[in-house]
Amino acid sequence: MDENSARAMRMPRMPQRPRKRTEIEQHESADLLAHVTEDQASREEGGREGVATGSRKRRKSSLDSPMTTTARTLPLLVCSIGNPGTTYANTLHSAGHTVVNSLAAHLGYAQFRKEREFGNGLISRPAISGSTGDWTLWQSTSYMNESGKGLKAAFTAWSKHIPVGEEGRVVVIYDELEKPLGSVTVRTNQGASARGHNGLKSILKLMRDVPFARIGIGVGRPVSRESNEVARYVLKKMTPPEKEKIDGSVEEVMKKLQLLERG
């Protein structure tokens, strides 16, 4: 190796000076830095705004949630009409009584007892006060074609226990020919016809100023339309399958009563 080469190897390398950026490069760098800084600030501001907005939404949701209120219900006088005594018990014409007996058992009401003030009808109320809805069960002890007199007295007595300014509702449960056995039909139209039912005729005559709802319990129909055949049909004792059908309507009757008590 010659002397010049050796000297070159021993000489330290001088550090290179950084290349001076042109004005264009400096301008682009400044723009990029400004853009990054602005974008970061925007994200931070957006984040703060998002948190604040979320807080406002939560407060709004809490304030705007509807309050739970208990629906107002009407006291009911639930009446059944039929014929009195063991001779007519569990006949199709007394299907209303059968259903109301099942209703009292289903609700756990107290045993029926006769009350003179209520037209000598049979009354059943909740065994424990306030345990169920405000329903009073009443059974006529009159013959079918005299139902109106007892029901009018019962309504007068029952009305005395309703607070001033409030109102109640009368519901009559009865047997209905021409409807499938055990079916349940509700009528609230006060101008509706009695459709030949002597019990309803008596009630409409004596309580013409008192509106009442009707729940008809279907009892089917005989093959013949002759009056004697119809009378024999509705006054005969129910067969076990027929009684099972009538008793089985009680749950549907309860649903209808719950709708009626809401007004």
Side-chain angles (χ1 to χ4, degrees), residues 71-76 78 109 132-135 167-169 171 213 254-263:
R72 173 179 172 271
T73 57
L74 301 175
L76 297 183
V78 182
Y109 274 27
T132 57
D134 190 1
W135 298 358
E167 59 180 10
R169 193 164 202 174
V171 183
M254 280 189 63
K255 292 178 183 178
K256 302 301 185 186
L257 290 172
Q258 288 167 350
L259 290 174
L260 290 170
E261 75 174 349
R262 294 172 193 164

Side-chain angles (χ1 to χ4, degrees), residues 77 118 152-164 170 210:
L77 177 61
F118 282 76
K152 184 176 181 179
F155 171 73
T156 301
W158 172 74
S159 298
K160 294 176 182 177
H161 300 282
I162 298 178
V164 177
V170 179
V210 179

Side-chain angles (χ1 to χ4, degrees), residues 1-182:
M1 179 182 299
D2 60 18
E3 186 178 352
N4 291 333
S5 297
R7 190 183 300 117
M9 292 181 63
R10 289 195 299 268
M11 290 180 64
R13 296 182 62 184
M14 299 296 293
Q16 293 184 350
R17 294 182 179 179
R19 183 175 61 86
K20 186 176 181 180
R21 293 183 298 176
T22 65
E23 291 185 4
I24 294 176
E25 289 175 330
Q26 291 176 2
H27 182 71
E28 288 178 349
S29 177
D31 282 349
L32 179 61
L33 178 61
H35 176 73
V36 170
T37 305
E38 182 180 354
D39 185 59
Q40 182 178 0
S42 177
R43 285 198 303 270
E44 291 175 355
E45 181 65 24
R48 288 193 296 271
E49 183 178 352
V51 171
T53 303
S55 300
R56 286 196 297 271
K57 286 182 179 178
R58 285 193 293 273
R59 288 196 297 271
K60 182 178 180 181
S61 175
S62 174
L63 292 172
D64 290 351
S65 58
M67 295 180 64
T68 303
T69 56
T70 303
R72 173 179 172 271
T73 57
L74 301 175
L76 297 183
L77 177 61
V78 182
C79 312
S80 64
I81 55 177
N83 286 311
T86 56
T87 302
Y88 298 104
N90 292 322
T91 61
L92 289 173
H93 207 26
S94 294
H97 288 337
T98 301
V99 168
V100 170
N101 283 332
S102 295
L103 182 62
H106 201 81
L107 294 171
Y109 274 27
Q111 186 175 358
F112 281 94
R113 64 178 185 177
K114 183 177 285 191
E115 292 194 16
R116 183 176 180 181
E117 184 186 12
F118 282 76
N120 285 321
L122 301 176
I123 289 287
S124 178
R125 300 183 180 90
I128 301 175
S129 179
S131 60
T132 57
D134 190 1
W135 298 358
T136 299
L137 308 184
W138 179 87
Q139 291 184 324
S140 170
T141 55
S142 304
Y143 283 97
M144 186 67 86
N145 59 351
E146 298 175 346
S147 301
K149 184 178 180 180
L151 182 51
K152 184 176 181 179
F155 171 73
T156 301
W158 172 74
S159 298
K160 294 176 182 177
H161 300 282
I162 298 178
V164 177
E166 295 187 12
E167 59 180 10
R169 193 164 202 174
V170 179
V171 183
V172 176
I173 301 180
Y174 65 101
D175 61 298
E176 188 164 28
L177 275 168
E178 307 291 339
K179 295 292 184 181
L181 188 69

Side-chain angles (χ1 to χ4, degrees), residues 92 222 224 226-237:
L92 289 173
S224 174
E226 292 185 10
S227 58
N228 290 338
E229 286 298 320
V230 172
R232 275 195 289 268
Y233 177 80
V234 298
L235 294 177
K236 72 179 181 66
K237 294 285 187 178

